[in-house]
Amino acid sequence: MHVAIIGAAGMIGRKLAERIADTGKMGGASVDALTLIDVHAPNVAEHFAGTRTALAADLSNAGTIAGLIAQKPDVIVHLAAIVSSEAEADLEKGYRVNLDGTRALFEALRHAEGYTPRLIYASSLAVFGAPFPTRIPDDFQLTPQSSYGTQKAMGELLLDDYSRRGFLDGVGIRFPTICIRPGKPNKAASSFYSSILREPLNGQQAVLPVSEDVRHWFASPRAAVGFIEHGATLNSALLGARRSMTMPGVSATVADQIEALRVVAGDKAVALIRREHDPAIASIVESWPRDFDTARANQMGFRAETSFREIIEVYLEDEMDGQGPNAMRPVA
């Protein structure tokens, strides 16, 4: 199998490439070729045993897409995007990257006769906007209330239509907010969800810009990689006309996050969180969905964590060799 990852220098793309390099497989299928594309040359998966190609290229560039399609990868993972706050601040860039680049890729596949790859499209919970029920079902309408959400919703509709016409074999994955993200905060409005845990676990202060009763939907980076791996070999006939699904996750309040941090790392870690209300961030995240019925994805075999403590422990295992600023307490 030949796997191409667009957006391979991002956190999820990097972790996916590293997992493929470590195991030589994706979704149980052997991988013998790996193509990594991002606007900055991806410096990941160098230990991959098969053929590896890393390119610094922009998906909105026609030459980039033509070169990729010429290789005819079996699976294309489309992770390239600019995040919510940046897409809201820069309308032109948001549509160019998040919509125009996606459509250009789909159009190139439409014209590639005899070639129909599995395409994993990274979508978002931002496709849903208020008013919505407390627990959003799988068949809830797409009602985005941000430019980013609108761009992702349009991508989902294109994925459905181009799959229906047989130009590609699409699987759309609506990722939960991924937590705890390693590294530094990004420009996403949701970035603080990771910061209030990651920084204290590393002995550093963090800022909480919203109230502790704000609830959201989460999964770990490990689960995110698992979603893509499973989607790569899923029997897409089971999806029917609706190619995108909300992935399973954990519904938790900020208070739930902080209490899980306390259980895992103690009061000293929690004391590193500083409350500084930010009305702009609060107004964005308080309008986001809070809980989901993901029976459809569950039935198709997608899996995630079931508690926030588990999410924190995944971070400690994957990023800190199982160690935090304080000795972990025994698992009950």
Side-chain angles (χ1 to χ4, degrees), residues 299-318:
Q299 290 168 359
M300 294 188 189
F302 291 93
R303 297 290 180 264
E305 294 78 21
T306 58
S307 71
F308 216 96
R309 176 171 176 170
E310 188 179 352
I311 288 176
I312 294 177
E313 290 172 347
V314 165
Y315 175 79
L316 295 177
E317 291 172 9
D318 290 356

Side-chain angles (χ1 to χ4, degrees), residues 1 14 43 45 49 52 57 66 76 108 132 144 161 171 179 181-182 218 223 231 246 254 275 280 282-283 288 314:
M1 176 190 289
R14 176 176 54 81
N43 186 26
R52 174 185 173 275
I76 299 173
F132 40 63
D161 195 36
V171 177
C179 188
R181 301 179 70 97
F218 303 95
T246 303
V254 171
R275 276 75 173 170
S283 66
W288 287 350
V314 165

Side-chain angles (χ1 to χ4, degrees), residues 28-290:
S30 295
V31 177
D32 54 20
L34 189 56
T35 298
L36 309 175
I37 302 173
D38 212 311
V39 289
H40 303 292
N43 186 26
V44 295
E46 293 181 347
H47 57 292
F48 178 59
T51 302
R52 174 185 173 275
T53 304
L55 302 172
D58 189 331
L59 185 62
S60 61
N61 184 311
T64 299
I65 298 175
L68 173 64
I69 300 305
Q71 298 180 43
K72 295 190 174 180
D74 302 287
V75 177
I76 299 173
V77 182
H78 180 15
L79 298 168
I82 63 169
V83 294
S84 52
S85 294
E86 188 176 4
E88 196 67 22
D90 191 333
L91 184 70
E92 182 177 350
K93 183 178 180 181
Y95 275 93
R96 179 177 62 81
V97 175
N98 294 344
L99 178 62
D100 296 345
T102 297
R103 187 167 181 228
L105 173 62
F106 290 6
E107 274 292 284
L109 291 171
R110 178 168 77 91
H111 293 288
E113 295 184 10
Y115 171 52
T116 308
R118 171 62 52 88
L119 191 142
I120 308 294
Y121 175 67
S123 190
S124 166
L125 304 182
V127 299
F128 300 113
F132 40 63
T134 301
R135 197 161 196 240
I136 297 176
D138 274 320
D139 58 356
F140 194 74
Q141 66 268 28
L142 305 186
T143 55
Q145 294 186 355
S146 67
S147 293
Y148 176 74
T150 300
Q151 292 148 14
K152 286 299 183 181
M154 295 170 82
E156 286 193 15
L157 294 173
L158 288 171
L159 188 77
D160 288 346
D161 195 36
Y162 280 63
S163 294
R164 177 181 66 84
R165 290 177 170 270
F167 303 138
L168 52 86
D169 184 13
V171 177
I173 293 177
R174 296 186 195 116
F175 287 100
T177 287
I178 302 304
C179 188
I180 303 168
R181 301 179 70 97
K184 297 180 180 180
N186 62 22
K187 294 182 180 181
S190 60
S191 182
F192 74 89
Y193 282 124
S194 287
S195 295
I196 62 170
L197 303 172
R198 180 184 59 236
E199 271 65 85
L201 287 169
N202 285 278
Q204 301 170 356
Q205 287 195 343
V207 173
L208 173 60
V210 304
S211 65
E212 292 188 15
D213 61 355
V214 171
R215 179 177 290 276
H216 198 48
W217 188 247
F218 303 95
S220 74
R222 185 191 294 177
V225 170
F227 298 153
I228 298 170
E229 288 188 298
H230 186 62
T233 55
L234 177 73
N235 179 5
S236 59
L238 300 173
L239 295 173
R242 293 188 298 126
R243 291 288 177 136
S244 295
M245 297 167 286
T246 303
M247 293 292 102
V250 175
S251 178
T253 64
V254 171
D256 294 332
Q257 290 184 274
I258 294 173
E259 183 55 30
L261 176 66
R262 188 189 311 278
V263 170
V264 171
D267 292 335
K268 289 184 178 180
V270 172
L272 291 169
I273 301 172
R274 187 174 74 252
R275 276 75 173 170
E276 286 185 10
H277 187 72
D278 185 323
I281 293 178
S283 66
I284 293 173
V285 302
E286 287 173 1
S287 67
W288 287 350
R290 301 166 180 84

